[in-house]
Amino acid sequence: MACSIRPTLSSFRFSSLATRSLSRSFLRLPDITTRGLGESHKLRATGILRRDGNIMRVMASQASTAASPENTLEWVKQDKRRMLHVVYRVGDLDRTIKFYTECLGMKLLRKRDIPEERYTNAFLGYGPEDSHFVIELTYNYGVDKYDIGAGFGHFGIAVDDVTKTVELIRAKGGKITREPGPVKGGSTVIAFIEDPDGYKFELLERGPTPEPLCQVMLRVGDLKRSIEFYEKAFGLELLRTRDNPEYKYTIAMMGYGPEDKSTVLELTYNYGVKEYDKGNAYAQIAIGTDDVYKTAEAVKLAGGKITREPGPLPGINTKITACLDPDGWKTVFVDNVDFLKELE
């Protein structure tokens, strides 16, 4: 039986970088807000210097983003961005780690227990965090079940041989929800499986790739609106769209690089469905940026909602900002330099 989930901070914290302080500050459910630093372009400090009896007033900018809206949105296209990791909750951490390592071929990169906050994190993937998109699992003490909801779709993993991978998963007791075969309307061989918590994974047959953890699929209520938001606010490129009128849905692939070499965001619009129940299992994606202040301004200009104002976290210098897209999906942006320092 799943135990009740109380809306306390410790129940919903998720550490996305390599320190406890970071996890305590921003990885929370969307309905928990954190007071931030205010609009960055308004942060000013005044100093007074005396010299030879004269008073000189010096205005010092602490975090100014004086650029025009047009320049800010143009800057997004030039920003050095990369998807860092995806965060979600599981009911049995050891069970999930065993499944991901033995069935999906991932490596356990690191694990951290925070007993005073009653949660444990595990990071898994196909390469180091400074160069690969990875998974961050979070186990909250005493919570053995979560509601995945209808909004989250699946994760995508590129494999050399889908049939062989499926047979391995079947032998390990895994659940196969779609047997190997060509995708409808195409030739790519795919299959679908479920992990022990019910998260779906699409297996895609591809040749060698530097980023096997290749997709995160989310459902949205207005595909055109979402594409425009992610282009403007996130700097994601629309790689392709595919309409499937027979099955009444349309998808859009967006990313910071080609599908066969980088992780992409797959947005799915089901005809006539405007809203989805997001449950309480899936948390967010983290993305690296060179400037969290400009990123926050761009998100606001594109119609997104800032849930954590940009700035350094208490006790450490890591700068972050968090936001919601028009459908309420959460993303955290992390300063690139600070992220690498945290990993050290």
Side-chain angles (χ1 to χ4, degrees):
M1 295 295 290
C3 46
S4 60
I5 303 172
R6 296 177 295 175
T8 61
L9 297 183
S10 61
S11 297
F12 300 117
R13 282 191 184 118
F14 297 90
S15 167
S16 292
L17 301 181
T19 65
R20 275 176 46 195
S21 298
L22 181 57
S23 69
R24 292 180 178 179
S25 302
F26 74 96
L27 294 176
R28 310 171 182 178
L29 284 180
D31 61 348
I32 300 176
T33 59
T34 303
R35 293 187 183 275
L37 299 177
E39 294 182 5
S40 57
H41 66 279
K42 292 182 179 179
L43 294 176
R44 301 284 180 178
T46 302
I48 299 178
L49 300 179
R50 295 180 181 272
R51 178 180 298 174
D52 298 329
N54 295 321
I55 298 177
M56 299 173 58
R57 186 172 298 271
V58 180
M59 302 297 293
S61 174
Q62 293 183 331
S64 175
T65 55
S68 66
E70 293 78 12
N71 289 341
T72 298
L73 293 176
E74 185 63 29
W75 168 84
V76 169
K77 301 176 184 178
Q78 308 302 323
D79 189 21
K80 295 179 181 178
R81 297 188 173 184
R82 179 177 72 87
M83 293 188 190
L84 305 177
H85 51 252
V86 61
V87 187
Y88 54 98
R89 309 162 177 93
V90 296
D92 186 327
L93 193 59
D94 291 337
R95 178 186 64 183
T96 303
I97 291 173
K98 181 179 176 66
F99 182 84
Y100 287 6
T101 55
E102 294 185 0
C103 295
L104 300 180
M106 295 186 192
K107 295 179 180 179
L108 176 61
L109 303 174
R110 58 189 171 101
K111 187 177 179 182
R112 176 177 52 215
D113 184 41
I114 312 296
E116 63 270 27
E117 299 294 338
R118 298 180 58 78
Y119 71 89
T120 306
N121 293 128
F123 294 79
L124 297 100
Y126 295 99
E129 293 177 63
D130 61 356
S131 59
H132 287 73
F133 185 68
V134 306
I135 288 172
E136 178 183 343
L137 302 175
T138 298
Y139 168 70
N140 289 298
Y141 291 10
V143 184
D144 60 8
K145 187 174 179 60
Y146 292 95
D147 176 18
I148 294 178
F152 171 77
H154 62 261
F155 303 111
I157 296 180
V159 299
D160 293 332
D161 189 323
V162 168
T163 300
K164 183 177 179 180
T165 303
V166 165
E167 290 309 311
L168 171 63
I169 295 171
R170 197 192 314 273
K172 295 286 186 178
K175 182 178 180 180
I176 313 301
T177 60
R178 199 269 200 192
E179 293 291 339
V183 64
K184 294 177 180 178
S187 58
T188 302
V189 177
I190 67 167
F192 275 90
I193 67 159
E194 284 187 8
D195 77 357
D197 289 273
Y199 291 100
K200 291 182 173 60
F201 284 80
E202 180 181 12
L203 306 178
L204 302 99
E205 192 160 285
R206 291 181 181 172
T209 173
E211 196 68 274
L213 186 57
C214 59
Q215 292 179 4
V216 177
M217 192 276 261
L218 302 174
R219 297 182 175 91
V220 298
D222 185 325
L223 190 59
K224 180 180 179 182
R225 178 186 65 183
S226 294
I227 290 172
E228 291 178 353
F229 173 81
Y230 281 106
E231 286 179 329
K232 290 182 179 180
F234 286 38
L236 288 168
E237 178 185 354
L238 177 61
L239 303 174
R240 64 183 174 93
T241 60
R242 186 177 79 236
D243 186 35
N244 295 274
E246 180 181 357
Y247 300 100
K248 297 183 178 180
Y249 74 90
T250 307
I251 65 169
M253 297 293 194
M254 307 190 74
Y256 294 116
E259 289 182 61
D260 62 341
K261 295 181 180 180
S262 60
T263 303
V264 301
L265 180 64
E266 178 180 347
L267 302 176
T268 298
Y269 168 68
N270 291 298
Y271 291 7
V273 183
K274 300 298 182 182
E275 294 183 1
Y276 291 94
D277 171 22
K278 295 179 178 59
N280 63 356
Y282 174 86
Q284 69 227 5
I285 291 175
I287 297 176
T289 175
D290 282 343
D291 192 323
V292 296
Y293 298 96
K294 286 184 179 180
T295 293
E297 293 302 320
V299 169
K300 293 174 185 176
L301 289 169
K305 179 181 179 182
I306 298 298
T307 57
R308 203 282 183 187
E309 291 290 342
L313 293 166
I316 57 176
N317 294 321
T318 302
K319 295 178 288 295
I320 64 126
T321 190
C323 67
L324 300 179
D325 77 354
D327 289 276
W329 294 114
K330 185 178 179 181
T331 301
V332 173
F333 285 89
V334 185
D335 181 90
N336 285 324
V337 174
D338 293 346
F339 176 70
L340 293 178
K341 289 180 181 178
E342 291 293 335
L343 290 181
E344 294 174 357

